[in-house]
Amino acid sequence: MTHDLPYNGSASLDALLDAAVDAIIISDDEGTIVQFNSAAERLFGYAAADIIGQNLTTLMPPPDRNQHGQYMSRYLNSGQPAIIGIGREVTGLHASGRTVPVHLSVGEIKSGGRERFVGILRDLSEQKKYEAAVITLESQLAHADRLVALGELTAGMAHEINQPLTAIAAFSDAGARLIDNDNDAARTELKNICGRISQQARRAGDVIARLRRLSQKGELSKSSHDLQRLVQSALQLFDHEVRRSNAAIATHFNHRTKLVPVDEIQIQQVLVNLIKNSLDALAESATEPAQVHVHVEEEDEHLYIIVEDNGPGVDPENEPHLFEPFFTTKDHGVGLGLSICRNIAVAHGGNLRYKRSERGGARFTLSLPLTYIG
Ligand SMILES: Nc1ncnc2c1ncn2[C@@H]1O[C@H](COP(=O)(O)OP(=O)(O)OP(=O)(O)O)[C@@H](O)[C@H]1O
Ligand SMILES: [Mg+2]
């Protein structure tokens, strides 16, 4: 909307502008600065007397600096605003040469029949600093959560590594006994044993590689991953726990898109947390047979990874709190698992939702929009 404002540089208008907390800059239709309030002086480091008469582009770093003239003439010719009445985040250029993140909203006024543009700017530096700190904290928290999950799986992992090591020891003993038998049968058997030793060593190495990957620190980094392999590799972390409990984990893959651009570690972290929650719930209930189903579905440009169990499910009165940090019903729970998982889902442009499973227990659905993540 265009307002007709008596703009005559009156003392009362100056006082009003200078009292404003936000930076206010008024320019004419060619972008020449005609008014620059005190907050603008503080934000940009210029004295009003020095900047008035200069073009707005002085306050902009490239590429906006070079394009501003085009934006303005496009608007004046077509009436199609790119920023007027909308407001958005832009980068300003301080007199010292450093850039400043600002929120800019632009209004249009008529003064003495002439077009004027009023820019209202708010410094976002502090807000950006907090946002960056929050992102770092979230990533540290996610890392800590992975370490906790790994800590809980360590006993099983130790067993997973111990098994191939025991096998390697037994094969080596058998090989040592054969070594003096200088005949073809012994040589063939020795070759066979060496093959098995190498296979078992690789198996132990794989377990360690999985552990190391999950314990890594890191920012969100999306690259293409085979979703089926990603899910299976997360499930392998539970091999031992599943064998020890009565629970079975079944997978159902029903998706067309094979390679999906996701952060492998983070999606595995979601799976580890959800499966762990299911196994915890099943361990506490006497459901027979205890089952966890992991489905991967694809529909309407979305991938859905569903983890569902036939345990007791979530008490309806707890449902609204499930994704709150530190909500737990477990004696030794931290209550961070689901809140971190939801953050990861949102960082991928998706979501994580709960609903009661038709199998009676809990059903968590991680949705990942293919259009967004692609
Ligand atoms: N599959 C499930 N079946 C039943 N209840 C569940 C299930 N998954 C989660 N919950 C409920 O949600 C709560 C929060 O889960 P969340 O994973 O956030 O924390 P936690 O498992 O208690 O602790 P941790 O931080 O160690 O994961 C659990 O304490 C439990 O009450
Ligand atoms: Mg949990």
Side-chain angles (χ1 to χ4, degrees):
M1 206 202 314
T2 308
H3 302 279
D4 199 15
L5 193 94
Y7 174 76
N8 52 14
S10 71
S12 58
L13 179 60
D14 286 354
L16 189 69
L17 292 178
D18 283 340
V21 177
D22 289 336
I24 301 176
I25 302 171
I26 304 180
S27 78
D28 66 14
D29 54 5
E30 286 174 348
T32 306
I33 298 170
V34 295
Q35 192 89 20
F36 202 76
N37 75 346
S38 304
E41 290 182 320
R42 288 193 295 276
L43 181 61
F44 287 99
Y46 287 102
D50 296 333
I51 194 88
I52 286 175
Q54 294 202 40
N55 198 276
L56 281 172
T57 52
T58 313
L59 307 173
M60 301 170 191
D64 288 345
R65 161 178 294 193
N66 311 328
Q67 285 162 4
H68 187 253
Q70 289 168 25
Y71 294 154
M72 264 186 119
S73 49
R74 189 182 315 149
Y75 173 63
L76 290 169
N77 292 333
S78 70
Q80 280 298 314
I83 190 165
I84 292 169
I86 303 165
R88 64 174 143 106
E89 242 181 81
V90 297
T91 307
L93 184 64
H94 188 268
S96 66
R98 73 179 154 83
T99 54
V100 199
V102 288
H103 181 271
L104 167 67
S105 49
V106 181
E108 203 179 351
I109 51 173
K110 280 243 161 43
S111 167
R114 288 203 62 180
E115 209 93 43
R116 304 262 185 217
F117 294 99
V118 185
I120 300 178
L121 300 96
R122 178 163 295 179
D123 189 350
L124 296 179
S125 308
E126 281 299 303
Q127 189 182 325
K128 291 278 156 197
K129 240 188 272 168
Y130 288 131
E131 280 170 15
V134 168
I135 289 171
T136 311
L137 280 174
E138 273 181 356
S139 130
Q140 284 169 349
L141 202 57
H143 182 231
D145 173 70
R146 286 203 293 278
L147 294 182
V148 171
L150 280 177
E152 288 166 7
L153 292 172
T154 310
M157 289 290 161
H159 179 84
E160 286 293 291
I161 297 167
N162 205 30
Q163 269 187 338
L165 289 180
T166 311
I168 288 170
F171 285 132
S172 308
D173 290 346
R177 281 196 296 274
L178 283 170
I179 215 137
D180 294 328
N181 296 1
D182 194 11
N183 59 52
D184 282 352
R187 268 192 292 277
T188 311
E189 186 54 18
L190 256 178
K191 212 168 160 190
N192 180 9
I193 284 174
C194 287
R196 285 170 176 237
I197 289 177
S198 121
Q199 198 184 26
Q200 293 296 326
R202 270 179 238 283
R203 194 176 135 197
D206 283 350
V207 177
I208 292 171
R210 277 201 298 277
L211 275 176
R212 287 191 54 183
R213 271 210 303 280
L214 212 62
S215 65
Q216 272 162 10
K217 253 187 180 156
E219 308 273 300
L220 183 77
S221 79
K222 289 182 208 154
S223 52
S224 280
H225 291 283
D226 180 333
L227 197 60
Q228 190 161 336
R229 275 197 27 211
L230 188 156
V231 170
Q232 276 160 347
S233 137
L235 292 187
Q236 278 168 341
L237 294 164
F238 291 95
D239 276 357
H240 178 72
E241 196 150 329
V242 164
R243 271 201 300 275
R244 218 183 37 181
S245 69
N246 293 322
I249 306 184
T251 49
H252 314 268
F253 295 101
N254 194 9
H255 59 112
R256 292 181 307 277
T257 310
K258 198 168 139 60
L259 293 179
V260 188
V262 290
D263 184 302
E264 181 192 21
I265 308 282
Q266 295 205 347
I267 298 300
Q268 283 194 354
Q269 180 171 10
V270 174
L271 281 163
V272 166
N273 270 311
L274 295 180
I275 293 168
K276 222 188 147 304
N277 280 347
S278 285
L279 292 177
D280 285 350
L282 288 166
E284 279 193 8
S285 73
T287 324
E288 286 281 347
Q291 286 175 332
V292 182
H293 290 267
V294 180
H295 305 257
V296 181
E297 309 278 341
E298 182 172 347
E299 206 185 311
D300 298 336
E301 299 287 306
H302 278 72
L303 272 173
Y304 298 95
I305 304 180
I306 301 157
V307 176
E308 98 184 289
D309 61 63
N310 60 347
V314 175
D315 195 330
E317 72 182 33
N318 289 337
E319 275 186 41
H321 308 292
L322 271 186
F323 296 95
E324 288 170 9
F326 304 113
F327 174 78
T328 181
T329 56
K330 300 173 192 171
D331 290 343
H332 301 289
V334 185
L336 279 178
L338 287 177
S339 83
I340 288 174
C341 291
R342 182 171 267 178
N343 280 347
I344 292 176
V346 171
H348 280 77
N351 213 333
L352 178 66
R353 296 208 166 80
Y354 167 78
K355 119 174 182 201
R356 182 159 278 274
S357 159
E358 283 165 10
R359 298 172 201 272
R363 177 185 167 101
F364 287 89
T365 304
L366 168 69
S367 60
L368 298 167
L370 281 166
T371 41
Y372 176 92
I373 54 185

